[in-house]
Amino acid sequence: MSSKSFDPAAREMIDFGKKNNFELVWDRLKEQQPQCGFGELGVCCRNCVMGPCRIDPFGEGPDKGVCGATADTIVARNIVRMIAAGAAAHSDHGRRPALLLKEVGEKENRDYEIKDEAKLVNVAKKLGINIENKDKFQLAKEVAEIALNDYGKQDSNSIKFLESYAPKLKEKLEQIEKALYEKTGKIMGVLPRNIDREIVDIMHRTHIGVDNDPLSLILQGIRAALGDGWGGSLIATECQDILFGTPKVHTVYANLGVLSPDEVNIVIHGHEPVLSEKIVEIALKKELIEYAKSKGAAGINVAGMCCTGNEILMRHNVPIAGNELHQELAVLTGAVEAMIVDVQCIFPALANLTKCFHTKFISTSDQAMFPGADHIQFEEDRADEIAEKIVKIAIENFANRDKSKVNIPEHKNEAIVGFSVEQILEALGGTVEPLIDAVKNGKIKGIVGIVGCNNPKVEQDYFHVNLAKELIKRDILVIGTGCWAIALAKAGLLSVDYANFAGDGLKSVCKVLKIPPFLHMGSCVDCSRMLVVASAIADTLNVNISDLPLFGSAPEWMTEKAVSIGTYFVASGIPVHLWPIPPILGSKEVVKILTETAKEVFGGYFIIEEDVEKAVNIMEAHILEKRKALGI
Ligand code: BF8
């Protein structure tokens, strides 16, 4: 059996793929060996055509590029460009539901509606909107306008979402800007002024011959990342909750075993729920189920993949077929009529692989085209019509399924999901006080938020699952999102009973509140939910987020989005563990800024650790240190 994955369903399918000569991500990784050492260290520069240049890490070759850029400059420029891309992906995602909310508010779009009026009112109040005598449409319009203004305003004030959701952090960031100016005489801003602007600023200052100072570069990276976490991602979460409903706690199934042997299987993969919400809704229509039956299927089975899967799993009873490294494996089952994709984390390799089966690979976004895919353009103002068209294509494709090729692994597990901030508060009786009491009396030592991806360089899900298991043994509550949350759902860990494997303190809290020791908080943009919880705890205790016994981790990360998430955690005051190593080791200065200077300035910092136990030891030590400082 393959050791490429910790997940038995994946191991089965990887072996099946190998036996039948299907090329998978692990094969392509092998083909790439040895990977570029300059790239791994971050010392390769392609920012102008006097290059490409690279710095010799052994000190035997060139120590600067043609323009004179040192390893410190090159590494810093490269890593902040990663942040820019990650922040752009999340924030551009957030723009879509914000625009849609405005259209719904203006009654220009009638395919969507406001499903959570209570949340709309709460968000409006938080943003300081006067809610008197305003109907839901007016409020939706005003909330959306503030959100969209945060993307495009041209003044130098902080974005409104950060200011409204984390006033204390805003104050702290202002003090940091002031202190930096007093110390250096240089203007180095960290408060995001405009979500888009901070990303553009990075692209500007990393152009040849602009910013060459690693500290100034990294601080701009932090600014853009904060514009993601407290801006773009938060806007995505809040607008989506208003439009599609705030997640509620419920049970779903997870893993490839959710694919049905006798129904039309539609897998929705990507990130933006604007499309997937519609597919879920349309697939429940009686006429379409009847249509599927007329084509010989028992019904229609919609399953999610990656973070769009998380979005629909959080809000509906929709199972999830897997996380990032499952996308090709789902196709290998031979039982997928359509793989429908929007944006982000979608392998272009799916185009070739789906051709070996009857699976239709359907792209839908004007931003994400895949050579070899069928493109059906999704448009919000024709959402019902287009979703129906896509579902019908899947149904009609059922006749092409070759039953002799169907090979669905049996593995699937039940998972309790849906822990939005609102649901956590409800479980706690309306306030964060009971959680704070549990932290104060030591039943819960601290909280770790785990995020992010799979990466074929790491045994799939191994680090996610084992890190989480080890943390709860030490009475550390684990919350998280993204492919981590899917990993735990697949492994059957998202259950109240699993609290039996936690330390006595955490176990007792979970049993009283009837919650698992691991809380699935949603997709990657929903890391904003974790920030909101951290901010609520800090406000209640009247301390900064950096004073709290918290830690973050991205133990199998691979995307630029994860770099942005890690950075906004750090800048918000939460240290972050990473594995694999980010491409920064080519610069001692950049390593120092991210691991030491960040700690002095923001309270958060990065650590890199490959070993589960060692990583947990570091996290626990930080948590205990913070508890001591708080006097608890
Ligand atoms: O959006 S799907 S691989 S990037 S964790 Fe990572 Fe997974 Fe992508 Fe975050 Ni979500």
Side-chain angles (χ1 to χ4, degrees):
M1 290 291 254
S2 168
S3 64
K4 291 172 179 133
S5 177
F6 192 64
D7 175 334
R11 290 204 296 268
E12 221 178 289
M13 294 316 288
I14 293 165
D15 286 346
F16 170 79
K18 193 170 178 199
K19 238 177 259 156
N20 295 282
N21 282 323
F22 292 116
E23 178 204 282
L24 298 173
V25 61
W26 293 274
D27 304 310
R28 294 188 295 272
L29 176 64
K30 201 169 157 202
E31 284 295 309
Q32 283 291 335
Q33 301 308 314
Q35 284 177 304
C36 172
F38 297 106
E40 279 177 344
L41 294 172
V43 290
C44 164
C45 180
R46 292 191 301 106
N47 294 15
C48 85
V49 183
M50 293 194 291
C53 300
R54 75 265 178 279
I55 306 300
D56 187 329
F58 305 108
E60 286 162 11
D63 64 353
K64 52 182 91 65
V66 178
C67 71
T70 61
D72 293 335
T73 301
I74 292 171
V75 171
R77 283 199 304 220
N78 287 342
I79 196 78
V80 299
R81 278 199 171 192
M82 288 187 84
I83 295 173
H90 281 150
S91 301
D92 210 29
H93 167 166
R95 191 193 320 268
R96 192 169 282 245
L99 284 168
L100 182 57
L101 187 64
K102 184 158 182 276
E103 284 165 15
V104 172
E106 287 169 345
K107 299 184 189 166
E108 275 177 14
N109 183 311
R110 293 184 190 267
D111 282 28
Y112 293 89
E113 55 186 318
I114 293 157
K115 290 223 172 106
D116 194 339
E117 262 189 82
K119 175 111 191 195
L120 172 63
V121 169
N122 282 341
V123 173
K125 279 195 203 155
K126 225 166 183 168
L127 293 170
I129 296 170
N130 176 5
I131 62 163
E132 294 303 313
N133 302 320
K134 288 179 187 161
D135 68 4
K136 61 178 180 180
F137 296 103
Q138 179 63 24
L139 283 182
K141 203 173 135 254
E142 290 186 30
V143 165
E145 274 164 0
I146 291 181
L148 294 168
N149 194 41
D150 272 354
Y151 283 92
K153 68 187 188 63
Q154 295 302 320
D155 61 50
S156 294
N157 302 328
S158 149
I159 53 170
K160 184 90 177 160
F161 266 78
L162 187 148
E163 189 174 295
S164 312
Y165 280 70
K168 241 183 149 48
L169 178 66
K170 186 208 160 197
E171 229 173 81
K172 186 177 163 186
L173 295 171
E174 270 170 348
Q175 284 161 8
I176 289 172
E177 285 181 347
K178 216 167 138 217
L180 283 166
Y181 182 67
E182 276 163 13
K183 196 170 164 195
T184 64
K186 297 173 184 167
I187 295 178
M188 291 190 280
V190 287
L191 255 176
R193 300 155 292 186
N194 154 335
I195 298 159
D196 289 343
R197 178 175 180 180
E198 307 315 347
I199 296 161
V200 171
D201 184 309
I202 287 180
M203 298 314 286
H204 176 184
R205 73 174 67 212
T206 56
H207 183 278
I208 156 85
V210 187
D211 197 355
N212 298 284
D213 176 358
L215 179 63
S216 162
L217 282 160
I218 301 277
L219 288 170
Q220 181 56 31
I222 281 174
R223 202 179 206 182
L226 285 165
D228 167 1
W230 294 98
S233 283
L234 181 58
I235 288 169
T237 299
E238 301 300 67
C239 293
Q240 288 168 184
D241 281 358
I242 293 167
L243 286 165
F244 310 132
T246 303
K248 291 201 164 39
V249 175
H250 62 284
T251 304
V252 296
Y253 280 96
N255 216 339
L256 292 170
V258 305
L259 296 174
S260 167
D262 49 13
E263 289 171 296
V264 174
N265 288 308
I266 300 176
V267 175
I268 322 181
H269 175 21
H271 283 74
E272 294 178 349
V274 174
L275 164 72
S276 49
E277 275 287 324
K278 272 292 157 199
I279 301 273
V280 171
E281 189 186 313
I282 298 289
L284 287 172
K285 275 173 100 178
K286 226 169 140 204
E287 314 89 87
L288 286 167
I289 296 171
E290 286 309 319
Y291 187 47
K293 286 183 180 164
S294 77
K295 298 287 176 194
I300 306 170
N301 179 43
V302 177
M305 177 74 62
C306 286
C307 276
T308 212
N310 274 328
E311 297 279 1
I312 48 179
L313 145 153
M314 288 286 280
R315 296 192 177 89
H316 305 281
N317 200 13
V318 177
I320 191 147
N323 45 5
E324 181 225 330
L325 288 180
H326 266 43
Q327 57 188 290
E328 292 176 297
L329 308 182
V331 176
L332 293 191
T333 64
V336 177
E337 273 58 52
M339 171 80 82
I340 302 167
V341 302
D342 49 66
V343 293
Q344 302 170 20
C345 304
I346 302 146
F347 294 167
L350 285 171
N352 274 339
L353 187 64
T354 47
K355 290 208 167 47
C356 305
F357 296 83
H358 75 302
T359 308
K360 296 260 185 216
F361 178 40
I362 301 174
S363 58
T364 58
S365 167
D366 55 332
Q367 288 177 298
M369 313 257 178
F370 297 81
D374 297 330
H375 189 77
I376 298 180
Q377 188 60 56
F378 184 69
E379 290 161 65
E380 280 90 345
D381 52 358
R382 294 196 297 127
D384 289 336
E385 177 197 327
I386 295 164
E388 185 165 327
K389 182 174 166 191
I390 292 173
V391 172
K392 276 189 174 156
I393 288 173
I395 292 172
E396 282 154 15
N397 196 26
F398 184 77
N400 297 323
R401 189 191 283 190
D402 179 348
K403 292 211 172 73
S404 69
K405 276 190 181 174
V406 172
N407 175 23
I408 304 172
E410 276 176 11
H411 305 275
K412 66 174 175 186
N413 270 308
E414 233 181 26
I416 301 181
V417 302
F419 288 94
S420 54
V421 178
E422 290 78 355
Q423 285 287 283
I424 294 175
L425 288 176
E426 197 175 308
L428 294 168
T431 72
V432 279
E433 296 282 359
L435 178 62
I436 292 175
D437 289 345
V439 174
K440 278 188 182 161
N441 66 29
K443 283 189 175 160
I444 295 177
K445 274 190 211 151
I447 306 174
V448 170
I450 313 183
V451 304
C453 327
N454 288 144
N455 185 327
K457 293 176 175 174
V458 182
E459 182 179 337
Q460 183 195 17
D461 296 352
Y462 175 86
F463 217 149
H464 282 320
V465 168
N466 290 295
L467 181 67
K469 280 183 175 175
E470 189 56 37
L471 285 163
I472 63 157
K473 276 191 210 157
R474 304 193 197 187
D475 288 318
I476 295 168
L477 175 69
V478 182
I479 61 179
T481 62
C483 287
W484 167 80
I486 305 171
L488 266 74
K490 288 188 297 166
L493 267 57
L494 299 183
S495 77
V496 179
D497 285 347
Y498 204 84
N500 290 329
F501 297 95
D504 286 341
L506 178 59
K507 189 196 330 185
S508 66
V509 175
C510 292
K511 296 272 164 173
V512 171
L513 299 177
K514 298 193 181 63
I515 56 169
F518 317 103
L519 304 184
H520 186 324
M521 294 190 74
S523 66
C524 279
V525 291
D526 293 332
C527 289
S528 61
R529 298 191 202 274
M530 293 196 259
L531 294 181
V532 172
V533 171
S535 180
I537 298 174
D539 285 350
T540 310
L541 288 171
N542 197 24
V543 296
N544 287 313
I545 294 173
S546 56
D547 297 320
L548 300 175
L550 307 176
F551 220 100
S553 173
E556 301 183 21
W557 77 279
M558 62 100 189
T559 63
E560 292 160 316
K561 291 180 290 174
V563 188
S564 181
I565 296 172
T567 306
Y568 69 65
F569 266 45
V570 162
S572 300
I574 305 166
V576 170
H577 156 251
L578 291 179
W579 189 260
I581 304 172
I584 56 166
L585 295 192
S587 163
K588 286 200 183 85
E589 186 58 27
V590 170
V591 171
K592 187 166 171 254
I593 293 168
L594 293 173
T595 57
E596 294 173 28
T597 317
K599 187 174 184 179
E600 287 158 27
V601 178
F602 299 95
Y605 52 92
F606 284 100
I607 64 155
I608 296 165
E609 179 52 62
E610 183 177 12
D611 180 78
V612 171
E613 185 137 353
K614 284 185 190 154
V616 176
N617 288 344
I618 296 168
M619 293 176 192
E620 192 182 24
H622 174 87
I623 283 169
L624 294 177
E625 189 189 307
K626 290 292 165 186
R627 294 183 61 87
K628 203 169 155 200
L630 282 170
I632 57 175

